[in-house]
Coordinates of all heavy atoms in Angstrom, one line a residue:
A24 N 3.1 -3.4 15.1 CA 3.2 -3.7 16.5 C 2.0 -3.3 17.3 O 1.4 -2.2 17.0 CB 4.5 -3.0 17.1
G25 N 1.5 -4.1 18.2 CA 0.3 -3.8 19.0 C -1.0 -3.9 18.2 O -2.0 -3.5 18.8
D26 N -1.0 -4.5 17.0 CA -2.2 -4.7 16.3 C -2.3 -6.1 15.9 O -1.4 -6.7 15.3 CB -2.2 -3.8 15.0 CG -3.6 -3.7 14.4 OD1 -4.0 -4.7 13.7 OD2 -4.2 -2.6 14.5
D27 N -3.5 -6.7 16.2 CA -3.7 -8.1 16.0 C -4.3 -8.4 14.6 O -4.5 -9.6 14.3 CB -4.6 -8.7 17.1 CG -3.9 -8.7 18.4 OD1 -2.7 -8.8 18.5 OD2 -4.7 -8.5 19.4
R28 N -4.6 -7.4 13.8 CA -5.2 -7.7 12.5 C -4.2 -8.4 11.6 O -3.0 -8.1 11.6 CB -5.7 -6.4 11.9 CG -7.0 -5.9 12.4 CD -7.4 -4.5 11.9 NE -6.6 -3.5 12.6 CZ -6.8 -2.2 12.4 NH1 -7.7 -1.8 11.5 NH2 -6.1 -1.3 13.0
N29 N -4.6 -9.2 10.7 CA -3.8 -10.0 9.9 C -3.7 -9.5 8.4 O -3.1 -10.2 7.6 CB -4.2 -11.5 9.9 CG -4.0 -12.2 11.2 OD1 -3.0 -11.9 11.9 ND2 -4.9 -13.0 11.6
L30 N -4.4 -8.4 8.2 CA -4.5 -7.9 6.8 C -3.7 -6.6 6.7 O -4.0 -5.6 7.4 CB -5.9 -7.7 6.4 CG -6.2 -7.3 4.9 CD1 -5.7 -8.3 4.0 CD2 -7.7 -7.0 4.7
I31 N -2.8 -6.5 5.8 CA -2.0 -5.3 5.5 C -2.1 -4.9 4.0 O -2.0 -5.8 3.2 CB -0.5 -5.5 5.9 CG1 -0.4 -5.6 7.4 CG2 0.3 -4.3 5.4 CD1 1.0 -5.9 7.9
Y32 N -2.3 -3.7 3.8 CA -2.4 -3.2 2.4 C -1.1 -2.5 2.0 O -0.5 -1.8 2.8 CB -3.5 -2.1 2.2 CG -4.9 -2.7 2.4 CD1 -5.5 -2.8 3.7 CD2 -5.7 -3.1 1.4 CE1 -6.8 -3.3 3.9 CE2 -7.0 -3.7 1.5 CZ -7.5 -3.7 2.8 OH -8.7 -4.3 3.0
I33 N -0.6 -2.9 0.8 CA 0.6 -2.2 0.3 C 0.3 -1.5 -1.0 O -0.2 -2.1 -1.9 CB 1.7 -3.3 0.0 CG1 2.2 -3.9 1.3 CG2 2.9 -2.6 -0.7 CD1 3.2 -5.0 1.1
T34 N 0.5 -0.2 -1.0 CA 0.1 0.6 -2.1 C 1.4 1.2 -2.7 O 2.2 1.8 -1.9 CB -0.8 1.8 -1.7 OG1 -2.0 1.2 -1.1 CG2 -1.3 2.5 -3.0
C35 N 1.7 1.1 -4.0 CA 2.9 1.5 -4.6 C 2.6 2.5 -5.7 O 1.6 2.4 -6.4 CB 3.7 0.4 -5.1 SG 4.3 -0.8 -3.9
H36 N 3.5 3.5 -5.8 CA 3.4 4.5 -6.9 C 4.6 4.1 -7.9 O 5.7 4.1 -7.5 CB 3.6 5.9 -6.4 CG 3.7 6.9 -7.4 ND1 4.5 8.1 -7.3 CD2 3.1 7.0 -8.7 CE1 4.3 8.8 -8.4 NE2 3.5 8.2 -9.2
L37 N 4.2 3.8 -9.1 CA 5.1 3.4 -10.2 C 5.3 4.5 -11.2 O 4.4 5.2 -11.4 CB 4.7 2.1 -10.9 CG 4.2 0.9 -10.0 CD1 3.8 -0.3 -10.9 CD2 5.3 0.5 -9.0
K38 N 6.5 4.6 -11.8 CA 6.7 5.6 -12.8 C 7.7 5.1 -13.8 O 8.4 4.1 -13.5 CB 7.1 6.9 -12.2 CG 8.5 7.0 -11.6 CD 8.8 8.4 -11.1 CE 10.2 8.4 -10.4 NZ 10.4 9.8 -9.9
V39 N 7.8 5.7 -14.9 CA 8.7 5.3 -16.0 C 9.5 6.5 -16.5 O 9.2 7.6 -16.3 CB 8.0 4.7 -17.2 CG1 7.3 3.4 -16.8 CG2 6.9 5.6 -17.8
S40 N 10.6 6.1 -17.1 CA 11.4 7.1 -17.9 C 11.9 6.4 -19.2 O 11.9 5.2 -19.3 CB 12.6 7.5 -17.0 OG 13.6 6.5 -16.9
P41 N 12.3 7.2 -20.2 CA 12.9 6.5 -21.4 C 14.0 5.6 -21.0 O 14.9 5.9 -20.2 CB 13.3 7.7 -22.2 CG 12.5 8.9 -21.7 CD 12.3 8.6 -20.3
A42 N 14.0 4.4 -21.7 CA 15.0 3.4 -21.3 C 16.4 3.9 -21.7 O 17.4 3.4 -21.0 CB 14.7 2.1 -22.1
D43 N 16.6 4.8 -22.6 CA 17.9 5.2 -23.0 C 18.4 6.4 -22.1 O 19.4 7.0 -22.3 CB 18.0 5.6 -24.5 CG 17.0 6.7 -24.8 OD1 16.2 7.2 -23.9 OD2 16.9 7.1 -26.0
Q44 N 17.6 6.8 -21.1 CA 17.9 7.9 -20.2 C 18.6 7.4 -19.0 O 18.1 6.4 -18.4 CB 16.7 8.7 -19.9 CG 16.9 9.8 -18.9 CD 15.6 10.6 -18.5 OE1 15.0 11.1 -19.4 NE2 15.2 10.5 -17.3
A45 N 19.7 7.9 -18.6 CA 20.5 7.5 -17.5 C 19.7 7.7 -16.2 O 19.0 8.7 -16.1 CB 21.8 8.2 -17.4
P46 N 19.7 6.7 -15.3 CA 19.0 6.9 -14.0 C 19.5 8.2 -13.3 O 20.7 8.6 -13.4 CB 19.3 5.7 -13.2 CG 19.7 4.6 -14.3 CD 20.3 5.4 -15.4
T47 N 18.6 8.8 -12.5 CA 18.9 10.0 -11.7 C 18.5 9.8 -10.3 O 17.8 8.8 -10.0 CB 18.2 11.2 -12.4 OG1 16.8 11.1 -12.1 CG2 18.5 11.3 -13.9
P48 N 18.7 10.8 -9.4 CA 18.2 10.7 -8.0 C 16.7 10.6 -8.0 O 16.1 10.2 -7.0 CB 18.7 12.0 -7.4 CG 20.0 12.3 -8.1 CD 19.7 11.9 -9.5
L49 N 16.0 11.0 -9.1 CA 14.5 11.0 -9.1 C 14.0 9.8 -9.9 O 12.8 9.5 -9.8 CB 14.0 12.3 -9.7 CG 14.2 13.5 -9.0 CD1 13.6 14.7 -9.7 CD2 13.6 13.5 -7.5
T50 N 14.9 9.1 -10.6 CA 14.5 7.8 -11.3 C 15.6 6.8 -11.0 O 16.6 6.7 -11.7 CB 14.4 8.1 -12.8 OG1 15.6 8.7 -13.3 CG2 13.2 9.0 -13.1
K51 N 15.3 6.0 -9.9 CA 16.4 5.1 -9.5 C 15.7 3.9 -8.7 O 14.5 4.0 -8.4 CB 17.4 5.8 -8.5 CG 16.7 6.3 -7.2 CD 17.7 7.1 -6.4 CE 17.2 7.5 -5.0 NZ 16.0 8.4 -5.2
A52 N 16.5 2.9 -8.5 CA 16.1 1.7 -7.7 C 17.3 1.4 -6.8 O 18.2 0.8 -7.3 CB 15.6 0.6 -8.5
C53 N 17.2 1.8 -5.5 CA 18.4 1.7 -4.6 C 18.1 0.7 -3.5 O 17.1 0.9 -2.8 CB 18.8 3.0 -4.1 SG 19.4 4.2 -5.4
S54 N 19.0 -0.2 -3.2 CA 18.9 -1.1 -2.0 C 20.1 -0.8 -1.1 O 21.2 -0.4 -1.6 CB 19.0 -2.6 -2.5 OG 17.9 -2.8 -3.4
F55 N 19.9 -1.1 0.2 CA 21.0 -0.9 1.1 C 21.8 -2.2 1.3 O 21.2 -3.3 1.6 CB 20.4 -0.5 2.5 CG 21.5 -0.1 3.5 CD1 22.2 1.1 3.4 CD2 21.8 -1.0 4.5 CE1 23.2 1.4 4.3 CE2 22.8 -0.7 5.4 CZ 23.5 0.5 5.3
N56 N 23.1 -2.2 1.1 CA 24.0 -3.3 1.2 C 24.6 -3.3 2.6 O 25.4 -2.5 2.9 CB 25.1 -3.2 0.1 CG 25.9 -4.5 0.1 OD1 26.2 -5.1 1.1 ND2 26.4 -4.8 -1.1
K57 N 24.2 -4.2 3.4 CA 24.6 -4.3 4.8 C 26.1 -4.6 4.9 O 26.8 -4.2 5.8 CB 23.8 -5.2 5.6 CG 22.4 -4.7 5.9 CD 21.7 -5.6 6.9 CE 20.3 -5.0 7.3 NZ 19.4 -4.9 6.2
A58 N 26.6 -5.4 3.9 CA 28.0 -5.8 4.0 C 28.9 -4.6 3.8 O 30.0 -4.5 4.5 CB 28.3 -6.8 2.9
S59 N 28.6 -3.7 2.9 CA 29.4 -2.5 2.7 C 28.8 -1.2 3.4 O 29.5 -0.2 3.4 CB 29.5 -2.2 1.2 OG 28.2 -1.9 0.6
S60 N 27.6 -1.4 4.0 CA 27.0 -0.2 4.6 C 26.8 0.9 3.6 O 26.9 2.1 3.9 CB 27.7 0.3 5.8 OG 27.7 -0.7 6.8
L61 N 26.5 0.6 2.3 CA 26.3 1.6 1.3 C 25.0 1.3 0.5 O 24.6 0.1 0.4 CB 27.5 1.6 0.3 CG 28.8 2.0 0.9 CD1 29.9 1.8 -0.2 CD2 28.8 3.5 1.3
W62 N 24.4 2.3 -0.1 CA 23.3 2.1 -1.0 C 23.8 1.8 -2.4 O 24.8 2.4 -2.8 CB 22.5 3.4 -1.0 CG 21.7 3.7 0.3 CD1 22.1 4.4 1.3 CD2 20.4 3.2 0.6 NE1 21.2 4.4 2.3 CE2 20.1 3.7 1.9 CE3 19.5 2.4 -0.1 CZ2 18.9 3.4 2.5 CZ3 18.2 2.2 0.5 CH2 18.0 2.6 1.8
A63 N 23.2 0.9 -3.0 CA 23.6 0.4 -4.4 C 22.4 0.5 -5.3 O 21.3 0.0 -5.0 CB 24.2 -1.0 -4.3
P64 N 22.6 1.0 -6.5 CA 21.5 1.1 -7.5 C 21.4 -0.2 -8.4 O 22.4 -0.8 -8.6 CB 21.9 2.3 -8.4 CG 23.4 2.3 -8.4 CD 23.8 1.8 -7.0
V65 N 20.3 -0.5 -8.8 CA 20.1 -1.6 -9.8 C 20.8 -1.2 -11.1 O 21.5 -2.1 -11.7 CB 18.6 -1.8 -10.1 CG1 18.4 -2.8 -11.2 CG2 17.9 -2.3 -8.8
E66 N 20.8 0.0 -11.5 CA 21.6 0.5 -12.6 C 21.9 1.9 -12.4 O 21.3 2.6 -11.6 CB 20.8 0.4 -14.0 CG 19.5 1.1 -14.0 CD 18.4 0.1 -13.7 OE1 18.3 -0.9 -14.3 OE2 17.5 0.5 -12.9
G67 N 23.0 2.4 -13.0 CA 23.4 3.8 -12.8 C 24.6 3.8 -11.8 O 25.1 2.8 -11.3

């Protein structure tokens, strides 16, 4: 807002864990579900 520049940089930090390790609060991928108003993980 309030900036007319058309260029935005997106920088992400990626990390891994062993595939056979269950996801934890530090290794997760969570989206907000507006229909249920709850956060839902991709797995776990």
Side-chain angles (χ1 to χ4, degrees):
D26 193 287
D27 294 330
R28 281 173 284 185
N29 292 322
L30 184 61
I31 292 176
Y32 294 86
I33 296 177
T34 308
C35 296
H36 176 214
L37 311 180
K38 69 180 179 183
V39 293
S40 71
D43 59 359
Q44 176 180 301
T47 71
L49 295 179
T50 53
K51 64 184 184 300
C53 296
S54 304
F55 187 74
N56 186 324
K57 288 187 170 64
S59 63
S60 296
L61 295 173
W62 289 90
V65 172
E66 57 264 309

